[in-house]
Amino acid sequence: MIDKKIFFSGLLVSCNYRMNEKILLAVSGGVDSIVLAHLFHSLEIPFEIAHVNYGLRGKESDGDEKFVKDFASKLEIRFHVKKCMKKEITKKDSNLQEKARDLRYTFFNEIAGKERIRHIATAHQQDDNIETVLLNFIRGTGIRGLTGMRTKSGKIIRPLLNYSRNDILAYAKKNKLKWREDSSNQEDKYTRNIIRNRFLGELSKHVPQGRKGMISSMRRLNESEQLITLAMNQWVNDKISTANGMQLISLKSITDKAGMTFFSQWLRKLGFNGSQAGMVKDNVISGRSSFTITTKNHFINRDRDNFWIGSREQTKAKPQLIIELSSFPTRSDLVPTCAFVDADRLGNISHRNWQSGDSMTPYGMKGRKKVSDILNELKLPAHEKKELFVVLSGDELVWIPGYRIADKFRITPETKRVMKISFK
């Protein structure tokens, strides 16, 4: 049974709720969300209701919408609804449940942002959490996937997560609440429904304490996951450094089993999947010195004895050149971001990314040298070489910023005018 005082205490502590703060509540019309709405209303918690009509069950879907709208009106609660178009979602979609989830959370976040509401409450409860863990287990997961949903995940709060379906039904019956039943929940079309209707039903018959045992295991796994996270964070602090806005780890830090395990887990937190983490492990074993994997948001490069990890959003803007006449430089003026050259030897100045085949005669040398050879000698990481640009006078290379000036454009005793080239 749900005790209102205990429920409200959990809302304050576990969900980080602030007194008199408005909540956006997702209401489908089912018993879980109706009970949560009733709890909010009876405890005088300010809230608004959001409902999504996917239109997948025809009149039944419209009936759900009308029921929730009437329910909100009776409570004098503001009601928001999204009616999905056929082009947004259909029964034929192969990833129907995932698509529905994306649609509703996009809608909830839009409303929360517009109304400046900090929390979006969903009516997920204990049985939903068990189903989620079993789904994760079947699909393949790590410890995190076996700990279930969190009471609070960013904007999303789940105040009923510690209550069972029986607790919720008992509350609904005691308070004479009415709700809608979704007929699709009885269909064994989806894996979750099979787990709910068949597996958990049989488990309750033959192993009555099974659900309690799974909840207990989830809590213990959550404690273990927290310990692992603490250990991994310490490992990351010790082994991973930052350079040029990217993260760097030495190969020698991940050659042992523990190091590779921590590294693989860290990569997965960045969005690399298990297969990609396995490819990194294979690369360490094979000893190949060149290696690249990209995901939607990140990439990882191996360059010699280091792995570089960066965000794909870290695309550098094209640098802006600053060209100005200058006096002859002193020793303190000679910094990597500036080049001082003979102004009278320059033509039209431009800059671009270096290209295969580019060459120059570096300052102090007589023969020409390919830019690629110069960069290899400097042992620059692959990602830095990729982003490097060169400065040209007409078609001739003048400067590889930060590294080499062409001998032809150097300052000599015969130089009459000095040009300073820098960039920002």
Side-chain angles (χ1 to χ4, degrees):
M1 188 62 182
I2 300 174
D3 182 283
K4 290 183 181 179
K5 289 183 179 179
I6 295 175
F7 170 84
F8 187 67
S9 177
L11 188 66
L12 292 172
V13 177
S14 300
C15 299
N16 193 26
Y17 176 70
R18 299 169 186 166
M19 293 288 289
N20 299 318
E21 186 177 33
K22 184 175 284 187
I23 296 173
L24 180 65
L25 173 59
V27 178
S28 64
V31 64
D32 301 334
S33 57
I34 291 298
V35 163
L36 188 52
H38 188 272
L39 282 164
F40 281 178
H41 188 259
S42 62
L43 291 167
E44 298 183 351
I45 296 170
F47 70 102
E48 297 183 8
I49 286 176
H51 175 80
V52 178
N53 181 349
Y54 301 107
L56 298 175
R57 291 174 290 118
K59 291 182 179 180
E60 188 178 336
S61 294
D62 293 335
D64 291 346
E65 179 188 331
K66 184 179 185 306
F67 175 82
V68 177
K69 184 178 180 180
D70 292 345
F71 176 76
S73 178
K74 183 178 178 180
L75 298 182
E76 297 182 343
I77 299 295
R78 191 174 179 190
F79 174 69
H80 306 272
V81 64
K82 174 179 175 59
K83 291 187 177 184
C84 297
M85 307 292 289
K86 286 186 178 180
K87 63 180 180 180
E88 291 182 289
I89 189 168
T90 69
K91 286 185 178 181
K92 295 180 180 180
D93 289 327
S94 58
N95 57 342
L96 180 60
Q97 290 185 316
E98 183 180 340
K99 200 167 187 179
R101 184 185 184 281
D102 290 342
L103 283 169
R104 65 176 173 267
Y105 279 105
T106 297
F107 174 60
F108 298 156
N109 279 299
E110 286 175 356
I111 298 300
K114 183 179 178 181
E115 302 298 328
R116 297 184 179 180
I117 296 175
R118 195 165 69 100
H119 290 310
I120 300 169
T122 66
H124 290 106
Q125 31 85 344
Q126 201 173 77
D127 292 61
D128 295 322
N129 217 9
I130 292 173
E131 293 164 12
T132 297
V133 167
L134 289 172
L135 270 173
N136 291 340
F137 184 78
I138 292 167
R139 292 167 177 167
T141 187
I143 290 180
R144 175 65 187 89
L146 297 177
T147 61
M149 293 179 278
R150 298 287 192 259
T151 308
K152 177 173 169 51
S153 303
K155 283 185 177 182
I156 307 300
I157 59 173
R158 303 178 179 94
L160 292 178
L161 205 57
N162 291 322
Y163 297 96
S164 69
R165 184 169 283 121
N166 287 337
D167 292 330
I168 291 166
L169 285 171
Y171 180 94
K173 290 174 182 177
K174 180 181 177 181
N175 290 278
K176 299 179 180 179
L177 299 179
K178 294 181 180 180
W179 62 88
R180 297 275 292 182
E181 293 288 354
D182 184 342
S183 61
S184 66
N185 287 337
Q186 303 306 315
E187 300 173 0
D188 287 343
K189 181 179 179 180
Y190 306 111
T191 307
R192 180 180 288 274
N193 286 3
I194 294 172
I195 291 172
R196 178 187 301 148
N197 300 331
R198 294 190 186 182
F199 179 78
L200 290 177
E202 289 298 310
L203 182 70
S204 296
K205 290 179 185 177
H206 301 288
V207 189
Q209 72 278 17
R211 291 173 186 249
K212 288 184 179 180
M214 283 189 280
I215 293 298
S216 177
S217 296
M218 288 161 60
R219 286 172 180 162
R220 291 176 185 176
L221 284 167
N222 185 50
E223 292 171 358
S224 298
E225 200 254 344
Q226 289 177 29
L227 288 174
I228 291 170
T229 298
L230 287 172
M232 191 179 77
N233 288 342
Q234 184 62 54
W235 181 86
V236 169
N237 290 335
D238 291 343
K239 304 295 184 181
I240 297 179
S241 58
T242 301
N244 299 323
M246 297 182 64
Q247 290 165 305
L248 167 69
I249 182 167
S250 170
L251 179 65
K252 63 183 181 182
S253 296
I254 54 176
T255 50
D256 64 311
K257 190 172 183 179
M260 177 51 71
T261 300
F262 279 126
F263 189 48
S264 297
Q265 290 296 314
W266 182 67
L267 288 176
R268 297 191 72 164
K269 283 185 176 290
L270 294 179
F272 294 87
N273 60 37
S275 175
Q276 291 167 329
M279 290 170 67
V280 174
K281 182 178 180 180
D282 292 342
N283 175 261
V284 173
I285 295 171
S286 69
R288 284 188 295 137
S289 60
S290 181
F291 177 77
T292 301
I293 290 179
T294 60
T295 68
K296 182 178 179 181
N297 299 314
H298 292 85
F299 66 87
I300 179 170
N301 286 331
R302 177 177 174 179
D303 191 78
R304 300 176 180 86
D305 293 331
N306 295 305
F307 281 100
W308 294 82
I309 303 95
S311 168
R312 294 186 68 182
E313 295 178 356
Q314 291 174 328
T315 54
K316 291 186 178 180
K318 188 176 181 181
Q320 180 181 345
L321 288 185
I322 301 172
I323 305 169
E324 54 190 341
L325 288 171
S326 169
S327 57
F328 281 79
T330 63
R331 185 176 293 275
S332 63
D333 294 324
L334 301 177
V335 294
T337 55
C338 294
F340 294 89
V341 295
D342 191 321
D344 294 316
R345 288 181 174 269
L346 294 171
N348 293 324
I349 298 177
S350 62
H351 66 295
R352 59 165 170 76
N353 288 98
W354 75 279
Q355 300 171 356
S356 177
D358 282 345
S359 65
M360 67 188 301
T361 302
Y363 180 37
M365 296 181 65
K366 291 184 179 180
R368 295 188 70 80
K369 203 163 193 177
K370 288 185 177 180
V371 171
S372 58
D373 292 336
I374 294 172
L375 300 182
N376 286 335
E377 289 174 2
L378 292 168
K379 295 185 177 181
L380 292 184
H383 65 275
E384 287 190 19
K385 285 193 283 189
K386 184 179 179 181
E387 294 177 346
L388 200 69
F389 68 94
V390 292
V391 177
L392 303 96
S393 171
D395 295 327
E396 294 185 274
L397 265 65
V398 176
W399 180 37
I400 304 175
Y403 301 107
R404 298 288 187 269
I405 293 175
D407 190 73
K408 175 180 176 179
F409 301 96
R410 75 187 191 282
I411 296 172
T412 68
E414 288 75 35
T415 297
K416 296 179 180 178
R417 296 187 306 151
V418 174
M419 189 71 77
K420 176 184 176 183
I421 305 174
S422 59
F423 60 92
K424 64 178 182 178

